[in-house]
């Protein structure tokens, strides 16, 4: 039951984890509020959380990341995870592409100056428009299609991301998330992204992978077992 057993019995063994070699010199990714903690949940959000327990009884209720539709760290907003954290940014005349290695998510930022479409027009990763404030790229994203893209967020969350080069090897990424249905006030996260010469690899995850099938088969087996005991 030592480290070797734990290494084998977890979802992945240590070979697959990408722990990195650089430590961000900050005590929390959350920089506002100044205490480094997420704001309190609203009473309504606390009630909704109570109904989420053991809710996943069909494929549509499984998280989007588990269904290989979106990466659990690619967002938006983007947060670091255990592996596949690479981000590639491609700039053209009227658009910017933000490409995440995790589940090969590609987000298009409209730089033409057009506003967001009406709220009735929704997108899985929201609708992103961008502008330059000096040497800082500011991306405003709204009109999300589903709840729960980031922690307990709703489809009405509003996200503002900022990208700025700190030096030749570092990109500072910050985002401010506002969702009054969930958190009592907005909060801001800041983290450094280190430049890398490594290749961005395909993340071969697809919605028909056998993990989801196995989860549902197991649940149906438990249902039959309960019916026999009754």
């Amino acid at each position: 039951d030592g480290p070797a057993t734990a290494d084998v019995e977890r979802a992945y063994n240590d070979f697959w984890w990408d722990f990195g070699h650089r430590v961000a010199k900050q005590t929390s990714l959350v920089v506002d509020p100044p205490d480094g903690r997420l704001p309190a949940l609203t009473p309504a959000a606390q009630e909704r959380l109570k109904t989420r327990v053991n809710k996943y009884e069909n494929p549509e209720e499984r998280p989007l990341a588990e269904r290989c539709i979106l990466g659990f760290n690619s967002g938006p907003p983007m947060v670091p995870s255990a592996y596949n954290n690479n981000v590639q940014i491609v700039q053209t005349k009227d658009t910017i592409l933000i490409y995440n290695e995790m589940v090969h998510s590609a987000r298009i930022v409209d730089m033409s100056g057009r506003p967001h479409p009406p709220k009735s027009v929704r997108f899985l990763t929201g609708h992103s428009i961008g502008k330059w404030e000096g040497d800082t790229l500011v991306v405003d994203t709204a009109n999300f299609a589903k709840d729960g893209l980031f922690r307990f967020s709703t489809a009405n969350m509003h996200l503002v991301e900022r990208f700025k080069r700190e030096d030749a090897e570092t990109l500072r990424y910050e985002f401010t998330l506002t969702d009054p249905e969930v958190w009592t006030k907005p909060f801001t996260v800041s983290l450094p992204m280190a430049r890398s010469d490594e290749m961005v690899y395909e993340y071969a995850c697809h919605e028909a992978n056998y993990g989801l099938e196995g989860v549902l088969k197991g649940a149906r087996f438990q249902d039959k077992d309960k019916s026999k005991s009754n």
Side-chain angles (χ1 to χ4, degrees):
D1 294 329
T5 301
D7 188 40
V8 172
E9 292 180 351
R10 289 178 300 190
Y12 304 106
N13 59 32
D14 281 341
F15 172 82
W16 301 103
W17 301 112
D18 184 10
F19 295 106
H21 305 286
R22 180 176 174 178
V23 177
K25 296 179 180 180
Q26 56 191 82
T27 57
S28 174
L29 295 182
V30 177
V31 294
D32 186 34
D35 63 4
R37 298 178 180 273
L38 291 173
L41 296 176
T42 64
Q46 294 178 41
E47 288 299 314
R48 282 199 301 273
L49 280 179
K50 295 178 182 178
T51 66
R52 289 169 61 97
V53 179
N54 298 325
K55 182 182 177 183
Y56 307 134
E57 289 296 329
N58 61 64
E60 288 70 29
E61 289 178 338
R62 302 304 297 181
L64 294 178
E66 184 180 283
R67 295 171 59 193
C68 299
I69 296 175
L70 289 177
F72 53 81
N73 64 340
S74 55
M78 300 179 290
V79 291
S81 183
Y83 49 81
N84 291 93
N85 287 307
N86 289 322
V87 178
Q88 187 175 26
I89 299 176
V90 180
Q91 182 178 353
T92 69
K93 179 182 178 181
D94 297 316
T95 61
I96 288 179
L97 168 71
I98 302 175
Y99 180 81
N100 297 91
E101 187 175 37
M102 179 63 77
V103 195
H104 42 266
S105 172
R107 179 160 50 114
I108 303 297
V109 180
D110 186 349
M111 300 291 291
S112 67
R114 290 189 293 263
H116 291 299
K119 290 185 178 180
S120 58
V121 181
R122 299 277 177 164
F123 304 84
L124 200 55
T125 55
H127 181 269
S128 295
I129 56 177
K131 63 179 181 179
W132 289 98
E133 292 183 356
D135 57 358
T136 301
L137 171 64
V138 181
V139 179
D140 186 294
T141 305
N143 295 29
F144 293 94
K146 292 179 70 66
D147 294 342
L149 190 63
F150 180 77
R151 297 176 70 89
F152 318 121
S153 64
T154 70
N156 294 320
M157 77 169 178
H158 179 215
L159 181 69
V160 177
E161 299 165 288
R162 294 178 178 271
F163 301 79
K164 183 178 181 178
R165 290 282 292 271
E166 284 191 341
D167 53 50
E169 302 298 323
T170 310
L171 181 72
R172 173 62 59 173
Y173 172 63
E174 295 187 350
F175 67 83
T176 299
L177 193 154
T178 303
D179 193 339
E181 297 179 57
V182 180
W183 289 281
T184 52
K185 59 181 178 180
F187 60 90
T188 299
V189 168
S190 178
L191 58 98
M193 292 184 175
R195 183 175 180 175
S196 174
D197 294 325
E198 298 289 338
M199 295 181 63
V200 176
Y201 289 96
E202 176 193 8
Y203 188 80
C205 179
H206 57 91
E207 191 174 5
N209 81 72
Y210 59 82
L212 180 58
E213 180 183 353
V215 168
L216 297 175
K217 280 184 175 180
R220 299 295 78 82
F221 178 82
Q222 289 179 332
D223 290 343
K224 291 181 181 178
D225 194 49
K226 289 177 182 178
S227 64
K228 289 179 181 178
S229 62
N230 294 330

